[in-house]
Amino acid sequence: MVVLRGNLVGRSGAGEGSSSGSGAEKIDEQTREFLFSEITRFILNQTLVIFSSVKEGILEVLEERLSTFRSKMMAIAGTQSLTFREFWTCGTPKYHGVKDPIASRRWLADVANTFHTTLCPEGDKVAVEKSDYGRHRACLLAFINEPRISISNIKHNPKALLCSLDMILLCILLFVSISVFLYRRRSLPGTNWPVIGIAPDLILNAYRINDFATDLVKQGNGTFMLKGPWFANMDMLVTSDPTNINYVLSKNFPNYPKGPEFRKIFDILGDGIFNSDHEVWEIQRKTIMSLLKHPDFNSHLEKNIRNKIEKGLLPVLDLVSHNQQAIDLQEIFQRFTFDTICSLLVDFDPESMSVHLPYNACEKAFTDAEEALLWRHVLPEKVWKLQQRLGMGKEKKLTEARKVFDEFLDKCLSRKEEGFGNDGRVEKEETTTGLLKSLMTSFQGQTGTSGDSRRYLKDTILNLMIAGKDTTSAGLSWFLYLVAQNPRIESKIRREIEKEVGDANWKSLGVKELSGMVYLHGGLCEALRLYPPVALQHKSPSEVDVLPSGHAVNEHSKIILSFYSMGRMESIWGKDCMEFKPERWFTEGGKGGVRHEPSYKFTAFNAGPRTCVGKEMGFIQMKMVASAIIYHYHVELVQRHEVCVGDSIIVHMKHGLKVRLSPVN
């Protein structure tokens, strides 16, 4: 079996075998510690250099005035033996030997006036009222403790004001140092600090956001209240508790619609099925399910996938295998699923899965959009909206992706509309087997919130494309990654395929034959358990509620259902939850059946009324592609190629899946 590393961010190589050795883990840990220390030291040093260069020029201007101030202040005190610290610690300062609060305030006023006039000779004397006592005392006390720091209360002299940079520098260094120290020394992965919330931990873990969420829910026994900075409106309740998942997605489903917050984040989906609620969602779901359950649909799907495997996938793999080249399987699967879903939905094959691997802007736009959508969950709303307005960062790529989707779908719809009359009826018989004609007929006249029927149809198709493209490609990528780490499992799946094929060709494998391959099915389920294609889901209740875990929520609460974390919880899957075990999905007794797990425990296809309508379609495609590859090739990971989870709403591999393929005799 394959034992996955605790943080799931490791270096994968062909020589690693079925598990990660302790030596490799130690080296990786030392490397991470070294890099972490060096980066922190570099940031602090650069900060010091910048602030020091500004400070040196200012201090020269203030040097003479500060010296004058100290001598005048000593004269006012009436004795050369009284230190500044003694002056502030003696209770009521002596004013010519008289202990009198009023006299003390007069004395303080004299000191404050001297303070101001010495540093700002062009300014008037400051009248010190009783209410100013604390302000001037704090200012003078900070000055006495370190004469070169904290002149921030002086507003008359711009040069003096710049001395506050020293204090800002100290605050930054103190904040970074404390954050780093606590992060490295404490046993808890996350802490909600006063005012700033969990921001330091979030920044330090931004490169592993899904694994950080897993650490948090483990810390909170399945549910963690994440506090953002007080001004950012980022408080979120993160949960992977199956009872909470079942309650939100099923038992109390009406109280947890997608809602306006979800639509705001996923605005690119428009009025599609992922964004819709209530009656609109019910109509869309029933319509799509009726199309997918058509008696001829599975045969069309099977024909479509087999054609793409024969004419697209295998020729590319044969070429790289013959030339002994490395290839990124994740990119191959993304191209493959893009072609198949386009052929199925819009009756058009972009042929991005071909020997020359041509660039396709629409295929690449999905990745850009999905990365931006994840960061909308992490960044304050004002920040990503500002990026959107200024056309910068991830939001710029999301805007560009939206335009690419519109152009692509407009061309597909225009091509299909040529076969329709002015009244929307079909004028000629269609020879294609795609769903576009049925979708155009089924949703004819519906306009959604935009009031535009064409916009509504494009939103519907885009939602289905996302569901059928990247979720399937991500599942295939992680499955082959896990299989490549364990030759024993690869051999068992290959023997299962060969047994089913017999003396015939692999092309004889159809939906019926694939459904009986329990080891292949178990391996796919394990990959989907550990790496569910959709890492999280955003929810907000319509009314005040209390979750089974005891957490109270209201209409302003943001609930994050962390599906990614669920596969890593010992409380759900046992102590071996980090192991890749296809046998986990066999029925008890080993009679060859497939074990069923409730959807609120195995959430790869969502749960409750919103369970994925394309679940069976996804399994058919993954089984056909995986069986074709394992039957023909042995998959070997490229040495020193790092495989880790990327920053995306879909659980992609950050650096792809680089492998070498060798033909099976």
Side-chain angles (χ1 to χ4, degrees), residues 223-294:
T223 304
F224 184 88
M225 186 63 201
L226 185 152
K227 295 282 188 179
W230 66 271
F231 57 85
N233 189 28
M234 285 178 59
D235 293 1
M236 289 179 272
L237 186 68
V238 185
T239 184
S240 63
D241 187 338
T243 57
N244 286 343
I245 302 292
N246 188 32
Y247 182 79
V248 171
L249 297 181
S250 184
K251 288 188 176 181
N252 201 13
F253 173 75
N255 193 40
Y256 293 89
K258 290 301 178 74
E261 285 297 320
F262 186 94
R263 289 181 63 92
K264 190 186 301 179
I265 294 175
F266 291 89
D267 55 359
I268 193 172
L269 301 180
D271 290 315
I273 190 170
F274 292 146
N275 265 1
S276 301
D277 280 317
H278 312 305
E279 293 83 3
V280 176
W281 167 74
E282 290 180 3
I283 293 173
Q284 288 184 334
R285 184 176 177 86
K286 289 178 180 178
T287 302
I288 294 170
M289 286 186 67
S290 66
L291 297 177
L292 299 184
K293 290 185 178 298
H294 191 277

Side-chain angles (χ1 to χ4, degrees), residues 29-224:
E29 184 63 28
Q30 290 175 348
T31 303
R32 281 193 294 271
E33 287 291 324
F34 173 75
L35 291 175
F36 187 84
S37 300
E38 288 300 310
I39 292 172
T40 304
R41 187 179 297 111
F42 174 79
I43 293 173
L44 295 180
N45 287 339
Q46 292 301 310
T47 306
L48 284 169
V49 169
I50 294 171
F51 275 84
S52 296
S53 61
V54 176
K55 182 185 68 175
E56 287 175 3
I58 300 169
L59 291 180
E60 292 179 3
V61 177
L62 296 178
E63 185 90 24
E64 184 179 349
R65 296 183 183 180
L66 293 174
S67 176
T68 305
F69 169 74
R70 292 174 67 86
S71 61
K72 287 189 177 182
M73 191 170 180
M74 291 296 294
I76 292 174
T79 173
Q80 292 296 322
S81 62
L82 181 65
T83 65
F84 292 117
R85 189 172 297 279
E86 290 172 341
F87 167 73
W88 287 115
T89 57
C90 64
T92 25
K94 295 180 180 180
Y95 187 75
H96 298 296
V98 180
K99 290 187 176 181
D100 181 11
I102 298 177
S104 297
R105 296 192 188 283
R106 291 197 202 100
W107 189 85
L108 176 63
D110 290 339
V111 173
N113 285 330
T114 301
F115 181 77
H116 281 269
T117 55
T118 302
L119 292 176
C120 309
E122 61 272 63
D124 297 328
K125 288 189 176 182
V126 179
V128 181
E129 303 294 339
K130 291 183 180 180
S131 59
D132 296 318
Y133 179 87
R135 179 169 63 87
H136 287 285
R137 183 182 186 279
C139 180
L140 290 172
L141 181 59
F143 177 81
I144 291 164
N145 289 335
E146 172 53 66
R148 293 190 175 191
I149 296 178
S150 186
I151 316 296
S152 57
N153 284 350
I154 304 176
K155 302 178 181 178
H156 303 295
N157 191 335
K159 293 181 179 179
L161 258 180
L162 291 178
C163 266
S164 62
L165 290 175
D166 273 329
M167 185 60 73
I168 296 173
L169 170 62
L170 288 179
C171 291
I172 292 175
L173 296 181
L174 184 63
F175 175 74
V176 174
S177 300
I178 292 176
S179 299
V180 171
F181 176 79
L182 293 176
Y183 175 73
R184 298 182 65 180
R185 296 295 180 184
R186 67 165 188 250
S187 58
L188 298 178
T191 300
N192 287 314
W193 304 98
V195 182
I196 59 175
I198 206 169
D201 299 294
L202 195 60
I203 294 171
L204 292 171
N205 288 277
Y207 70 98
R208 55 184 293 274
I209 194 69
N210 287 310
D211 290 305
F212 179 55
T214 302
D215 294 339
L216 293 180
V217 295
K218 285 182 178 179
Q219 175 183 331
N221 295 321
T223 304
F224 184 88

